[in-house]
Amino acid sequence: MSLLSIKGLVKRYPSDSGAQIDVVRIPSLLVEPGEQILLKGESGSGKSTLLNLIAGIVVADEGEIVLSGENICALSESARDAHRARSLGYVFQNFNLLNGYTSLENVELGMSFGSGVDRSYAKNLLDRVGLGNRQDYRPERLSQGQKQRVAVARALANRPKLVLADEPTGNLDPKNANLSLELIQSLCSENGAALVLVSHDSDLDERFERTVELAEFNQARMARVEGGSS
Amino acid sequence: MRAYEIAFRGIHQHRVSSLITIGAVALACSMLMLVWAFKKEAESSFVGANGGFDAVLGPRGSKLQIVLNGLYHLDESPGLMKWEDYEQIAKFPAIEAAYPIAVGDNYRGYRLVGTVPEYLQNHYYTEGKPFELGRGGTLFSDESMLAVAGSLAARRLGVGVGDTFQPYHGLIFNEDAIHEEVYTVSGVLEPTGTPADRVIWIPLKGIQTMSGHNPAAATDISAVLLKFKQGANMAGFQLDMLYNKQGNRLTLAWPANRTIIQFFDKISWIDKALQAMAALVAIIAGGSILAILYNAMNERSRDIAVLRALGAKKMTVFSISLLEALGMTFAGVVAGFAVYALFGFAIGEVVQRETGVALDPFSGNASMIWAPVGMLGIGFLSGLVPSVKAYRTEVARNL
């Protein structure tokens, strides 16, 4: 049984002219447990929206997203929040660390709304991302690469089944980008978590078991727009 | 990390504005408690510090002036009255005790009150409590050049048994107006918490015949302090009729307590003005909480979105924001009690120094419950608006 199953997923937003346009249209997408896939697409192709749909942050207009046997689209907002806290890890392009918190506390925040804080595990994660000696540092004292490593540790803090990564290397120099990507992939493998990483970087293809081009879905989407359908 | 820990972190993160808010809440809370508590405490303490007398007979004039001068040793006497007037009222069947007093001199700003030794010997200044002299002290006799100092006056002047002093003319200290007479302190009264503590008692004749005083008034007195016999309520009406309505030379201030209560009623506008100010500060504190948290929510919409993305429910971020408001208010209330204690002690000291009346601002009163609860209510209401904003934060847009 697939870890993640997406069928007939549609998300629409109003355009400037007021017409509804399909920002995301995914006929079918499956992710197996522990699998690492790369979702590729240009800017505006709906990559981030797709991740937000999987995370239950935004609600689909059509279709279903089944994660660990639970259809997220059918859940209430509160249940989606709980599901996110329990089953998902999220890595953002701009890290999104909270400034008033130390590295350790930022990682602990990743546990706070799910299974509860496990300080020794949070410290262990920071050790594994090479920041065991930066636990008490706040984000302003960390480099960009270090911030991303804290964000990776936070994403894994609740022992998720699926990690979503939204352009995680977009704000990093090539060296740090490479290191961060290695780190995300290896930690996901070690923890048995599947990884869905979105990027517009075509150099990443060979590092993933599978690459899904959002452009393929977009062609169908554009065909529908041109055909006059919303 | 629990909601209250995140809320505390929010307060700490914006500590400058949080401290200002906490200060405003503390000021409002302490002001509300101080204004209310001191009004009640001052009223009951002043009424209770009437020296155990029911009425005061004095020269024609204001009842309040007669009571303030006779019982509280404040203000000037409206004039002098004849010794015969004292003798006449002392014989009235309903009078249990009548003590003449004479004023007009001071020692370094502390009023000298001339009276008969029986006053300090036999009178109970409050139910079951007679005046008591400190160790080694003795009372003066009618003809002696001895003085008994009230506890506060003795402490402030630094005088004790055996010390001597020369009185100064008038009720206000003037170094050039020194009298020739030399008095010796024969005793110091134990504290009574009444105006008796801040005067120096000397024989009545001492004031009457002090050098420089008018010899023609050598038997005159300033007032007569009266205690009625138990159950002699009608006596007050009779004496009121006799002195205030039929007569025109003297004024009977009866009941003495009512005069003081009326005085407090007359100055109640001061309480109202202070209460209005305190209420205004409370509103400002509430507005401050609202503005600080609302602005913080603008700055922290990304943080809230991140918390939501990590799985925090809408009600969780709502609670965090509300807990911040309540946390700041609670800290303000605690600080308010500290400010209250500080100012309460200071005001109590000043009031006792100026009037001799001992206030106890730390005796429990209702304002210690409703002021903090009211401030917490204001904090709660002020926190609602930013909390709703946090609740409504759009996650995807703010990440």
Side-chain angles (χ1 to χ4, degrees):
Chain A
M1 186 184 168
S2 300
L3 173 70
L4 174 69
S5 166
I6 296 174
K7 282 183 190 159
L9 184 68
V10 177
K11 180 64 188 174
R12 301 185 189 96
Y13 281 119
S15 66
D16 291 343
S17 64
Q20 295 282 323
I21 59 164
D22 295 352
V23 177
V24 170
R25 179 171 283 277
I26 310 277
S28 175
L29 178 66
L30 298 175
V31 177
E32 302 304 321
E35 190 184 13
Q36 299 192 347
I37 71 164
L38 173 67
L39 281 177
K40 278 177 66 182
E42 298 302 316
S43 292
S45 59
K47 302 187 299 287
S48 297
T49 305
L50 174 58
L51 292 193
N52 284 340
L53 283 162
I54 297 170
I57 290 171
V58 293
V59 183
D61 292 311
E62 288 174 28
E64 63 174 35
I65 302 167
V66 179
L67 179 64
S68 302
E70 206 156 13
N71 183 5
I72 292 166
C73 300
L75 297 176
S76 67
E77 186 171 16
S78 174
R80 291 199 309 275
D81 294 334
H83 195 262
R84 190 162 58 248
R86 217 170 41 237
S87 314
L88 281 172
Y90 214 134
V91 183
F92 305 92
Q93 180 179 354
N94 52 358
F95 327 125
N96 276 333
L97 299 181
L98 298 195
N99 288 326
Y101 295 75
T102 64
S103 302
L104 182 62
E105 288 165 343
N106 264 290
V107 176
E108 286 177 346
L109 273 175
M111 306 165 164
S112 295
F113 309 107
S115 53
V117 172
D118 178 347
R119 176 154 287 195
S120 65
Y121 186 61
K123 285 182 175 177
N124 179 261
L125 281 170
L126 281 175
D127 282 338
R128 282 158 71 186
V129 299
L131 292 175
N133 57 348
R134 297 283 191 277
Q135 289 177 10
D136 298 328
Y137 282 37
R138 290 173 196 265
E140 66 267 19
R141 293 180 63 194
L142 299 173
S143 69
Q144 297 292 86
Q146 288 171 331
K147 284 179 191 173
Q148 190 58 297
R149 282 191 269 161
V150 175
V152 170
R154 184 180 64 184
L156 290 159
N158 59 345
R159 297 180 170 87
K161 295 175 183 131
L162 175 64
V163 173
L164 305 173
D166 188 0
E167 301 271 14
T169 57
N171 277 351
L172 301 176
D173 58 71
K175 187 184 165 199
N176 269 312
N178 194 36
L179 286 172
S180 284
L181 194 58
E182 271 182 24
L183 191 65
I184 293 170
Q185 290 190 292
S186 62
L187 281 177
C188 283
S189 293
E190 285 171 31
N191 287 276
L195 171 65
V196 175
L197 186 143
V198 300
S199 175
H200 64 274
D201 187 351
S202 53
D203 294 342
L204 301 182
D205 293 22
E206 60 200 35
R207 305 178 68 156
F208 283 83
E209 300 158 14
R210 187 154 64 97
T211 300
V212 177
E213 291 277 357
L214 279 175
E216 289 170 17
F217 299 129
N218 283 348
Q219 280 169 7
R221 184 180 73 181
M222 292 312 292
R224 289 177 65 86
V225 171
E226 283 161 12
S229 167
S230 61
Chain B
M1 201 165 279
R2 295 172 195 281
Y4 71 85
E5 290 175 284
I6 298 172
F8 176 76
R9 196 55 67 89
I11 293 171
H12 186 257
Q13 210 172 333
H14 301 90
R15 48 191 169 277
V16 175
S17 49
S18 298
L19 275 174
I20 292 169
T21 305
I22 289 168
V25 173
L27 191 64
C29 190
S30 58
M31 268 185 80
L32 285 167
M33 292 192 293
L34 280 169
V35 171
W36 205 84
F38 269 90
K39 179 186 186 296
K40 292 283 168 202
E41 182 63 25
E43 214 170 298
S44 63
S45 295
F46 267 83
V47 170
N50 63 8
F53 291 106
D54 297 303
V56 182
L57 182 66
R60 199 67 171 177
S62 138
K63 287 182 181 177
L64 179 61
Q65 194 179 357
I66 288 168
V67 168
L68 288 179
N69 178 63
L71 298 184
Y72 295 92
H73 309 302
L74 299 166
D75 211 344
E76 291 182 3
S77 168
L80 296 171
M81 56 189 283
K82 297 292 176 196
W83 180 254
E84 292 74 29
D85 293 322
Y86 158 67
E87 288 179 323
Q88 186 186 27
I89 197 163
K91 287 180 194 157
F92 198 79
I95 299 294
E96 182 181 303
Y99 300 106
I101 61 163
V103 297
D105 295 305
N106 76 91
Y107 176 58
R108 298 197 171 278
Y110 285 84
R111 186 177 290 216
L112 263 57
V113 180
T115 191
V116 290
E118 290 78 14
Y119 174 33
L120 297 177
Q121 204 164 18
N122 303 333
H123 182 65
Y124 286 30
Y125 63 87
T126 191
E127 191 73 35
K129 286 187 180 171
F131 290 106
E132 286 176 24
L133 286 163
R135 184 175 296 185
T138 55
L139 271 180
F140 49 77
S141 60
D142 282 330
E143 307 290 336
S144 66
M145 294 294 284
L146 299 176
V148 170
S151 58
L152 192 71
R155 195 169 72 239
R156 298 272 174 191
L157 291 166
V159 297
V161 174
D163 290 337
T164 57
F165 67 92
Q166 284 178 264
Y168 293 82
H169 186 65
L171 295 177
I172 296 165
F173 176 52
N174 174 6
E175 213 158 349
D176 298 329
I178 193 163
H179 285 296
E180 294 167 2
E181 287 81 354
V182 175
Y183 278 85
T184 302
V185 177
S186 64
V188 175
L189 290 177
E190 294 291 349
T192 64
T194 71
D197 292 346
R198 51 179 281 278
V199 298
I200 298 170
W201 304 90
I202 64 170
L204 187 65
K205 276 204 166 71
I207 295 280
Q208 289 172 323
T209 59
M210 193 81 74
S211 58
H213 286 189
N214 181 7
T219 58
D220 288 354
I221 56 175
S222 301
V224 183
L225 313 181
L226 300 167
K227 181 156 182 61
F228 293 169
K229 283 180 180 161
Q230 196 114 28
N233 290 335
M234 284 306 289
F237 291 105
Q238 289 170 348
L239 290 171
D240 181 51
M241 181 66 75
L242 184 67
Y243 288 104
N244 296 338
K245 296 189 171 66
Q246 293 170 352
N248 60 6
R249 285 191 310 109
L250 301 169
T251 295
L252 181 82
W254 171 84
N257 285 350
R258 196 172 67 196
T259 308
I260 286 299
I261 290 167
Q262 283 170 345
F263 169 67
F264 275 103
D265 285 345
K266 276 180 192 166
I267 61 165
S268 65
W269 64 270
I270 297 175
D271 300 322
K272 290 192 175 77
L274 288 171
Q275 279 167 357
M277 271 174 59
L280 195 65
V281 175
I283 291 166
I284 291 169
S288 172
I289 293 172
L290 196 154
I292 285 170
L293 283 181
Y294 196 84
N295 288 337
M297 287 307 145
N298 284 337
E299 291 166 21
R300 291 158 59 193
S301 51
R302 184 192 68 99
D303 289 4
I304 291 164
V306 171
L307 291 177
R308 292 291 320 282
L310 294 174
K313 291 182 168 61
K314 278 184 164 182
M315 273 312 291
T316 306
V317 292
F318 176 88
S319 309
I320 289 168
S321 171
L322 203 54
L323 280 172
E324 278 190 41
L326 287 172
M328 280 194 281
T329 316
F330 183 74
V333 164
V334 171
F337 273 99
V339 174
Y340 175 84
L342 199 70
F343 277 82
F345 180 76
I347 293 171
E349 282 290 299
V350 170
V351 169
Q352 186 163 26
R353 191 180 63 218
E354 296 301 319
T355 68
V357 177
L359 302 183
D360 181 13
F362 304 110
S363 63
N365 65 74
S367 70
M368 287 180 171
I369 293 171
W370 64 253
V373 169
M375 285 312 301
L376 285 170
I378 288 173
F380 177 80
L381 291 175
S382 306
L384 277 181
V385 176
S387 300
V388 169
K389 189 176 167 65
Y391 182 90
R392 288 183 173 165
T393 298
E394 281 195 41
V395 183
R397 185 176 291 175
N398 288 291
L399 277 175

